[in-house]
Amino acid sequence: MSSLLGIFFFLFFFLLSSNISAKIREYKWRVEYMHWCPDGVDGVVMAINGNFPSPTIRALVGDTIYVHFTNNLPTEGVVIHWHGISQSGTPWADGTASISQCPINPGETFLYKFQVDKAGTYFYHGHYGMQRSAGLYGSLIVEDEKEPFHYDGEFNLLLSDWWHKSSNEQQIDLSSKPFRWIGEPQSLLMNGRGQFNCSLAAQFSKLGVPQCKLRGDEQYAPQILHVHPNKTYRLRVASSTALSSLNLAIGGHKMVVVEADGNYIQPFSVKNMDIYSGESYSILFNTDQDPSNNYWISINVRGREPKTPQGLTILNYIPHFASKIPNSPPPLPPLWNDYKYSKAFSNKIFGLNGWSPKSPTRQNRRILLLNTQNRIEGYIRWAINNVSLVFPTTPYLGSIKYGINNAFDTKSPPNTFSKNYNIMKPPINPNSTYGNGIYMLKFNTTVDVILQNANVLAENESEIHPWHLHGHNFWVLGYGDGKFVSKNVEKFNLKNPPLRNTVVVFPYGWTAVRFVANNPGVWAFHCHIEPHLHLGMGVVFAEGVHLVKNVPNEALTCGLRGKMLVKNKHK
Amino acid sequence: MSSLLGIFFFLFFFLLSSNISAKIREYKWRVEYMHWCPDGVDGVVMAINGNFPSPTIRALVGDTIYVHFTNNLPTEGVVIHWHGISQSGTPWADGTASISQCPINPGETFLYKFQVDKAGTYFYHGHYGMQRSAGLYGSLIVEDEKEPFHYDGEFNLLLSDWWHKSSNEQQIDLSSKPFRWIGEPQSLLMNGRGQFNCSLAAQFSKLGVPQCKLRGDEQYAPQILHVHPNKTYRLRVASSTALSSLNLAIGGHKMVVVEADGNYIQPFSVKNMDIYSGESYSILFNTDQDPSNNYWISINVRGREPKTPQGLTILNYIPHFASKIPNSPPPLPPLWNDYKYSKAFSNKIFGLNGWSPKSPTRQNRRILLLNTQNRIEGYIRWAINNVSLVFPTTPYLGSIKYGINNAFDTKSPPNTFSKNYNIMKPPINPNSTYGNGIYMLKFNTTVDVILQNANVLAENESEIHPWHLHGHNFWVLGYGDGKFVSKNVEKFNLKNPPLRNTVVVFPYGWTAVRFVANNPGVWAFHCHIEPHLHLGMGVVFAEGVHLVKNVPNEALTCGLRGKMLVKNKHK
């Protein structure tokens, strides 16, 4: 009788918790260093199972992903962050060192197990030290049968920037006194492929770079997009850049933007689009151009004076030769510092009615986060409300869940910044402090965050910062110039704000986002520019940690938690 | 009454176990990367407390050393091996990743605590991945009041070789398919100082390198040895080279060799001396030359075709200017491949009667270890008796002590090699296997090891290998050419063999050593050339592990032992 009851309950929960077709998708991955040639110059990348970029995961919404992740690096720990995945119920699988788990040590295998509960274009990447810059990234595509648009075929481009100096050395440079800036990337990559010593479009260029002569099987040969005429294609695009904001264009083709960070948006048409690090989009385009030509797909640096050649590949109309060079030059991007242009793009993005949850009409708490560039003991750092984030040795998730004392500053960092702060000038007192305190959010409350930009240490300079929130999407309520003031609230878009996980803060401007703190766990919210995060530009939120269940034993056995376990054992 | 008894026992053991003046010497160290310029070319080193080389420890025999060692590296684990220290009673403090302890993770502090029970010239260095090559080394000098010689002053030179390519990239190169050899070092360093783009002795050189113009405060300016005329000086010298065998000379001065690896030896006089990686010596020299001159101290590469400029510093007779260039060229080393010369030097080293324990007259077990260069799955590796050592994730000390299954191959690796093996030819079957089995030694037995050299993969080539044993000294019973045969035993030196911790195996030759397995623990025995160890050239001995007591909780909490601890906790 009791076994019958057991079967009943099993069936009941099985039907309740998964749609009929939901699958477990299981992967065995090992990460290691390997020599690779992303842009024609011999280099070293962090690769998974010998692939650069790391393998693409494709799943259906509702599937559960199992990744048995083995660290084959010689001496370094590693974690993988599944960027854009909510990790609802699995906050320990978020893959953020010092926050959600201990680094996976060399020789160890960690099982990431999480559900992909929302269709969209995502990616994953290293989230320890600067291992994303080392090339540790790959695509994660979640499909759904129901979608608010149709297309005949699809492509996926994962964008990144590439330095010839190793990420290890970049990290040392950034932490040096005197400070050593890493400079602009040598190349821009699409799916890990770029060209440094030659150009695909040399004949249109005045730079004197030779024309690439490629067989097509080189590690740095572009991945060509082959299309049939008069069809509609979906192009999925995500940016894993370490530093660069990008502008993407398909020569001669209009693009209709339909998805942002795994959220459907009101379709709008552009001839080129900005994409910041941490963002992803889907665009639709029709192959309605002269089918006897090929066309450029280009990415260019935005928001920083471009010193990096544009990244290129080719849209090839079948059945013509892919090697045929398009007969017009690659599309020109907007001026690198035409922020008006960028703002216009961002302001075109709205949530799609009926496909996105509505924003709560009011917040329970508002946090203002001023970012400043500072010096601490002669080191250059970024700070938020005058605190430059340094990560603790014991992951927050463990120290909060297990009530471990002295694992981090229990004093909350400031909720706001001085009203008198002049964001148009370099900081008057450029001194800041290190800190690892976190913002404790009341579970299930609605939180507004105003990200406030400011002038850097040098006069007349303010930088772009794309901020990424782990474990949640937020509604983007609005952008503004200058210093945020209370009455800006009146202009918040509560009607159809887009839901996203990454949002840009423009130079000298502010950005307002709203989210519901309904995901038990500890979550990073940080500038997705990797050197900026490395230099302290981030904060940490915690909510409902007492509700976190079923943490795998091996996720949190380092630092003070490790000491606690061993002490108990030996007593 | 019982407390009185307690005091009595305390005093009794206090007097028994320590000499009156024995001290605790306590250090707080943090390791981090820093930019440094060891040879005039900007580079990156692993430094302790901002020093390259790492700080020198000086102690008196019987002292106990406490090093609170904090890992400030961004993503890498780290350990420190105290090279030449017996670690009697503290095998967990030997600082060998995968053997004696878990890597110390970023942010963690580990306390090394051990007694220096034998006077001598030692050093310490990283023993995880190739962190020694990254510059993680420093001197450890143990003094005694009683010594079999006298001197008026002393100097210490820690020798190393330096590459402009980072050790991280070297390690990736060595593990690449196709294999990428790291090449010869760019510079030789004395106390971390060398010159690459200039020479101190340019005027005597035909290489066309410019004369160094130094103020003396450059990071790569040589450390001058200032002496008074007509005195006797002790020069302590240790080699932490990654690859290079060296020859050391002091222009115009005879050297009397008096100590080898912390053991007094029968003094003998030479005009230059070989020193292999892992070895240390003390030499005495008299400042009996023309006091109006300065003299060169030089190191040169031996045993490999030298492509690295000699390392130089100056012996300066006070009160003359240190900047005065010696009036004759730096001493010429013997020809790089004059192995007869090298063997003659090695054969001059004998134990000093009355200052060294005698060797047992017979062994209980003889192990023959043939080293071969091999290929495994297309990777180049070194193998011992056809097994190429790969380290397990769970340190042996923990897996043996706590009886953990499946932590390593329990099958012992072979005790010998095929009688038919032709050491004069490349391996006929160059295929080998990975393995992590170990040699279990019966406690308190006497073990002979015959290290047998052979031809590498290329024809007519056999390399020098200096082998280092952890946790013990061994008696060097003899060297021979060709393949070891039983009757070679008859020529073993049992009368006054020198005690050492490192010994060279000459090309196409063998070396016989004897030691007593009386130190409870697990101990590496390996080629001290770091790329060779990285490629598998080592074995592991375990003895009396059941007798190991008082292992600090945090030494062994990784791998399967960590899993065990957490599992017990959660049950």
Side-chain angles (χ1 to χ4, degrees):
Chain A
M1 184 63 195
S2 79
S3 75
L4 257 181
L5 206 66
I7 290 170
F8 170 78
F9 272 110
F10 172 80
L11 281 174
F12 178 78
F13 284 108
F14 179 79
L15 293 171
L16 194 78
S17 67
S18 57
N19 75 55
I20 285 300
S21 61
K23 271 208 229 174
I24 289 172
R25 292 180 193 263
E26 197 156 7
Y27 305 89
K28 282 194 181 190
W29 283 0
R30 54 165 210 287
V31 61
E32 61 203 345
Y33 280 110
M34 77 179 182
H35 273 282
W36 200 257
C37 194
D39 65 355
V41 176
D42 181 42
V44 164
V45 296
M46 268 191 195
I48 291 175
N49 294 358
N51 295 284
F52 175 75
S54 292
T56 295
I57 290 182
R58 269 191 183 262
L60 270 176
V61 66
D63 288 353
T64 300
I65 310 292
Y66 282 36
V67 177
H68 302 263
F69 192 80
T70 299
N71 180 354
N72 274 3
L73 305 172
T75 54
E76 287 175 76
V78 69
V79 294
I80 293 284
H81 171 56
W82 313 92
H83 185 111
I85 304 301
S86 74
Q87 301 292 357
S88 172
T90 54
W92 52 267
D94 190 47
T96 326
S98 287
I99 296 183
S100 67
Q101 73 171 113
C102 302
I104 306 160
N105 279 332
E108 307 268 9
T109 297
F110 183 81
L111 175 57
Y112 285 102
K113 198 161 78 177
F114 55 90
Q115 200 185 32
V116 287
D117 53 7
K118 196 149 174 268
T121 304
Y122 305 107
F123 64 115
Y124 62 84
H125 56 79
H127 211 299
Y128 188 36
M130 283 178 45
Q131 293 179 343
R132 178 157 58 92
S133 292
L136 187 53
Y137 41 73
S139 292
L140 169 54
I141 312 279
V142 182
E143 297 173 347
D144 199 352
E145 284 155 15
K146 283 187 306 183
E147 290 194 298
F149 44 77
H150 296 279
Y151 48 93
D152 303 302
E154 76 166 76
F155 300 98
N156 177 51
L157 290 180
L158 181 58
L159 312 180
S160 56
D161 42 9
W162 184 248
W163 280 255
H164 293 160
K165 191 178 257 196
S166 74
S167 78
N168 191 40
E169 205 176 333
Q170 290 177 46
Q171 184 163 328
I172 296 162
D173 283 1
L174 294 168
S175 305
S176 289
K177 190 165 64 173
F179 185 72
R180 299 181 180 217
W181 176 236
I182 58 169
E184 300 300 312
Q186 275 68 63
S187 313
L188 300 178
L189 311 181
M190 293 192 241
N191 290 345
R193 292 153 178 273
Q195 297 82 37
F196 177 75
N197 284 323
C198 67
S199 167
L200 300 178
Q203 62 193 93
F204 301 108
S205 165
K206 287 164 196 158
L207 299 174
V209 203
Q211 177 70 31
C212 297
K213 283 172 192 161
L214 297 167
R215 297 178 310 268
D217 60 351
E218 295 86 356
Q219 289 168 353
Y220 62 100
Q223 198 173 303
I224 309 283
L225 278 59
H226 303 283
V227 293
H228 292 278
N230 298 312
K231 300 280 182 190
T232 301
Y233 290 91
R234 177 182 193 165
L235 177 63
R236 295 175 184 270
V237 57
S239 174
S240 182
T241 54
L243 175 66
S244 311
S245 305
L246 299 173
N247 182 273
L248 169 81
I250 308 176
H253 291 70
K254 269 197 185 159
M255 308 190 289
V256 177
V257 190
V258 292
E259 181 218 335
D261 302 353
N263 300 287
Y264 299 118
I265 57 173
Q266 287 184 21
F268 64 98
S269 173
V270 287
K271 61 176 189 171
N272 60 50
M273 60 179 289
D274 288 338
I275 178 165
Y276 302 98
S277 179
E279 292 187 332
S280 62
Y281 289 99
S282 283
I283 62 124
L284 302 178
F285 65 94
N286 293 320
T287 48
D288 53 7
Q289 297 300 301
D290 177 358
S292 65
N293 264 335
N294 289 332
Y295 299 86
W296 295 112
I297 299 177
S298 69
I299 48 175
N300 285 278
V301 170
R302 301 277 291 138
R304 305 182 65 90
E305 200 171 341
K307 291 171 183 163
T308 311
Q310 65 184 172
L312 290 172
T313 186
I314 283 170
L315 185 75
N316 164 239
Y317 273 66
I318 294 169
H320 298 292
F321 285 120
S323 56
K324 189 186 167 197
I325 300 288
N327 57 13
S328 37
L332 275 182
L335 273 180
W336 69 270
N337 55 359
D338 184 351
Y339 295 113
K340 212 173 143 187
Y341 192 99
S342 297
K343 290 171 192 174
F345 177 80
S346 291
N347 280 313
K348 279 181 193 157
I349 304 173
F350 298 109
L352 185 60
N353 267 337
W355 291 83
S356 256
K358 289 270 177 201
S359 157
T361 49
R362 54 177 53 232
Q363 89 289 356
N364 301 105
R365 178 177 178 181
R366 179 179 296 145
I367 301 173
L368 279 89
L369 301 178
L370 168 71
N371 75 62
T372 52
Q373 202 182 31
N374 298 81
R375 282 191 198 91
I376 306 182
E377 297 158 16
Y379 294 97
I380 300 249
R381 300 283 303 183
W382 289 92
I384 303 303
N385 293 353
N386 225 35
V387 178
S388 185
L389 184 63
V390 284
F391 287 112
T393 306
T394 311
Y396 293 109
L397 186 61
S399 43
I400 299 174
K401 186 173 157 57
Y402 302 113
I404 297 167
N405 294 325
N406 305 317
F408 62 91
D409 310 347
T410 45
K411 191 166 165 263
S412 177
N415 206 63
T416 186
F417 56 94
S418 158
K419 284 216 159 82
N420 305 319
Y421 190 88
N422 185 351
I423 66 154
M424 302 307 290
K425 291 281 171 197
I428 294 176
N429 172 11
N431 288 313
S432 180
T433 53
Y434 296 115
N436 61 20
I438 65 177
Y439 294 88
M440 293 288 196
L441 306 179
K442 216 171 155 190
F443 188 59
N444 261 334
T445 56
T446 299
V447 179
D448 280 9
V449 180
I450 316 296
L451 293 163
Q452 177 66 60
N453 213 338
N455 199 98
V456 298
L457 283 167
E459 298 267 357
N460 298 318
E461 259 188 66
S462 181
E463 296 186 7
I464 278 182
H465 303 289
W467 276 66
H468 170 62
L469 178 59
H470 291 224
H472 306 76
N473 282 285
F474 46 65
W475 292 273
V476 181
L477 302 184
Y479 305 89
D481 294 329
K483 193 147 73 165
F484 178 83
V485 289
S486 318
K487 76 172 170 120
N488 291 136
V489 172
E490 295 162 22
K491 287 192 187 163
F492 279 180
N493 173 15
L494 297 177
K495 197 182 133 213
N496 56 3
L499 208 53
R500 307 208 60 168
N501 62 54
T502 304
V503 73
V504 62
V505 189
F506 291 106
Y508 299 111
W510 56 264
T511 297
V513 301
R514 173 170 296 178
F515 67 96
V516 182
N518 58 2
N519 194 2
V522 188
W523 309 105
F525 183 37
H526 63 90
C527 179
H528 207 259
I529 292 176
E530 195 158 45
H532 290 187
L533 173 59
H534 179 68
L535 296 173
M537 197 172 203
V539 297
V540 177
F541 297 137
E543 67 212 42
V545 175
H546 60 288
L547 301 171
V548 174
K549 302 269 182 270
N550 302 321
V551 181
N553 290 337
E554 57 275 31
L556 298 168
T557 51
C558 56
L560 295 174
R561 168 74 179 151
K563 284 204 169 62
M564 200 170 97
L565 287 168
V566 188
K567 212 169 156 189
N568 289 344
K569 167 74 186 170
H570 283 253
K571 264 180 180 162
Chain B
M1 184 63 194
S2 78
S3 75
L4 259 181
L5 204 68
I7 290 170
F8 172 77
F9 272 110
F10 172 78
L11 282 173
F12 179 78
F13 284 108
F14 178 80
L15 293 171
L16 194 78
S17 66
S18 57
N19 75 55
I20 285 301
S21 62
K23 270 207 231 176
I24 290 171
R25 293 181 192 262
E26 197 155 7
Y27 305 89
K28 282 197 180 188
W29 283 0
R30 54 166 210 286
V31 61
E32 61 203 345
Y33 280 109
M34 76 179 183
H35 273 282
W36 199 256
C37 194
D39 64 355
V41 175
D42 181 43
V44 164
V45 296
M46 269 191 194
I48 291 176
N49 295 357
N51 295 285
F52 175 74
S54 292
T56 295
I57 291 182
R58 269 190 183 264
L60 270 177
V61 65
D63 289 352
T64 300
I65 309 292
Y66 282 37
V67 177
H68 302 263
F69 192 79
T70 300
N71 179 355
N72 273 4
L73 304 172
T75 55
E76 287 176 73
V78 69
V79 294
I80 294 284
H81 171 56
W82 313 92
H83 185 110
I85 304 302
S86 73
Q87 301 292 358
S88 172
T90 54
W92 51 267
D94 189 48
T96 326
S98 286
I99 298 183
S100 67
Q101 74 171 113
C102 302
I104 307 161
N105 279 332
E108 307 268 9
T109 298
F110 183 80
L111 174 58
Y112 286 102
K113 198 161 78 178
F114 56 89
Q115 201 185 30
V116 287
D117 54 7
K118 197 149 173 267
T121 304
Y122 304 107
F123 64 113
Y124 61 86
H125 58 78
H127 212 300
Y128 187 37
M130 284 178 46
Q131 294 178 343
R132 177 156 58 93
S133 292
L136 187 54
Y137 41 74
S139 292
L140 169 54
I141 312 279
V142 182
E143 297 173 348
D144 199 352
E145 283 155 16
K146 282 187 304 181
E147 289 195 299
F149 43 78
H150 296 278
Y151 47 93
D152 303 303
E154 78 167 74
F155 300 99
N156 177 51
L157 290 179
L158 181 57
L159 312 179
S160 56
D161 41 9
W162 184 247
W163 279 255
H164 292 162
K165 193 178 255 196
S166 74
S167 78
N168 192 39
E169 205 175 333
Q170 290 177 46
Q171 183 163 329
I172 296 161
D173 285 0
L174 294 168
S175 304
S176 290
K177 188 164 64 172
F179 185 72
R180 301 183 180 214
W181 175 237
I182 57 169
E184 300 301 313
Q186 274 67 62
S187 313
L188 300 179
L189 310 182
M190 294 192 239
N191 291 345
R193 292 153 178 274
Q195 297 80 38
F196 178 75
N197 283 324
C198 66
S199 168
L200 300 177
Q203 61 192 91
F204 302 108
S205 163
K206 287 163 195 155
L207 299 174
V209 203
Q211 177 68 32
C212 298
K213 284 172 191 159
L214 296 167
R215 295 179 311 268
D217 60 351
E218 295 86 356
Q219 289 167 354
Y220 61 101
Q223 198 174 303
I224 309 283
L225 277 59
H226 303 282
V227 293
H228 292 278
N230 298 312
K231 300 279 181 191
T232 300
Y233 289 90
R234 177 182 193 165
L235 177 62
R236 296 175 183 271
V237 56
S239 174
S240 181
T241 54
L243 175 65
S244 311
S245 305
L246 299 174
N247 182 272
L248 169 81
I250 309 176
H253 292 70
K254 270 197 184 156
M255 307 190 290
V256 178
V257 190
V258 292
E259 181 218 336
D261 302 353
N263 299 286
Y264 299 118
I265 57 172
Q266 287 184 21
F268 64 98
S269 173
V270 286
K271 62 176 189 171
N272 59 50
M273 62 179 290
D274 288 338
I275 176 165
Y276 302 98
S277 180
E279 292 187 332
S280 63
Y281 289 99
S282 283
I283 62 123
L284 302 179
F285 65 95
N286 293 319
T287 47
D288 53 7
Q289 297 301 301
D290 176 358
S292 65
N293 264 337
N294 288 333
Y295 299 86
W296 295 111
I297 298 179
S298 69
I299 47 176
N300 286 278
V301 170
R302 300 277 292 138
R304 304 182 67 89
E305 200 171 342
K307 291 171 184 162
T308 311
Q310 64 184 172
L312 289 173
T313 187
I314 284 171
L315 184 74
N316 164 239
Y317 273 66
I318 293 169
H320 298 291
F321 285 120
S323 56
K324 188 186 167 199
I325 301 289
N327 57 12
S328 38
L332 276 183
L335 271 180
W336 70 270
N337 55 359
D338 184 352
Y339 295 113
K340 214 173 142 187
Y341 193 97
S342 298
K343 290 171 192 173
F345 176 79
S346 291
N347 280 313
K348 280 181 192 154
I349 304 173
F350 298 108
L352 185 60
N353 267 338
W355 291 83
S356 256
K358 289 270 177 201
S359 157
T361 50
R362 54 178 52 233
Q363 88 289 356
N364 303 103
R365 177 177 179 182
R366 179 179 296 145
I367 302 172
L368 279 89
L369 300 178
L370 169 71
N371 75 62
T372 52
Q373 201 181 32
N374 298 81
R375 282 192 198 88
I376 304 182
E377 297 158 17
Y379 294 97
I380 300 248
R381 299 283 304 183
W382 289 94
I384 304 302
N385 293 353
N386 226 33
V387 179
S388 185
L389 183 63
V390 285
F391 287 111
T393 306
T394 311
Y396 293 109
L397 185 61
S399 45
I400 300 173
K401 186 172 157 57
Y402 301 113
I404 297 167
N405 294 324
N406 305 316
F408 62 92
D409 310 347
T410 46
K411 191 166 164 264
S412 178
N415 206 62
T416 186
F417 57 95
S418 160
K419 284 218 158 80
N420 305 318
Y421 190 88
N422 185 351
I423 65 153
M424 303 306 291
K425 291 280 173 199
I428 294 176
N429 172 9
N431 287 314
S432 179
T433 53
Y434 296 115
N436 61 22
I438 66 177
Y439 294 88
M440 293 287 195
L441 306 180
K442 216 173 154 188
F443 189 57
N444 261 333
T445 56
T446 299
V447 180
D448 279 9
V449 180
I450 316 295
L451 294 162
Q452 177 67 59
N453 213 338
N455 200 98
V456 299
L457 284 167
E459 299 266 357
N460 298 318
E461 259 187 66
S462 182
E463 296 186 7
I464 277 183
H465 302 290
W467 277 66
H468 170 63
L469 178 58
H470 292 223
H472 307 74
N473 282 284
F474 46 66
W475 292 272
V476 182
L477 303 184
Y479 305 89
D481 294 329
K483 193 149 73 166
F484 178 84
V485 289
S486 317
K487 74 171 170 120
N488 292 136
V489 172
E490 295 162 20
K491 289 196 186 155
F492 278 1
N493 172 15
L494 296 177
K495 196 181 132 213
N496 55 5
L499 208 53
R500 307 208 59 168
N501 62 53
T502 304
V503 73
V504 63
V505 188
F506 291 107
Y508 299 111
W510 56 263
T511 298
V513 301
R514 173 170 295 177
F515 67 96
V516 182
N518 58 3
N519 193 3
V522 188
W523 309 105
F525 183 37
H526 63 90
C527 178
H528 207 259
I529 292 177
E530 195 156 47
H532 289 186
L533 173 60
H534 179 68
L535 297 173
M537 197 173 205
V539 297
V540 177
F541 296 137
E543 67 211 43
V545 175
H546 59 289
L547 301 171
V548 174
K549 300 271 183 269
N550 302 321
V551 181
N553 289 337
E554 58 275 31
L556 298 168
T557 50
C558 56
L560 296 174
R561 166 75 179 152
K563 283 203 169 61
M564 200 171 98
L565 286 169
V566 188
K567 212 170 156 188
N568 289 344
K569 167 75 187 171
H570 283 254
K571 263 180 180 161

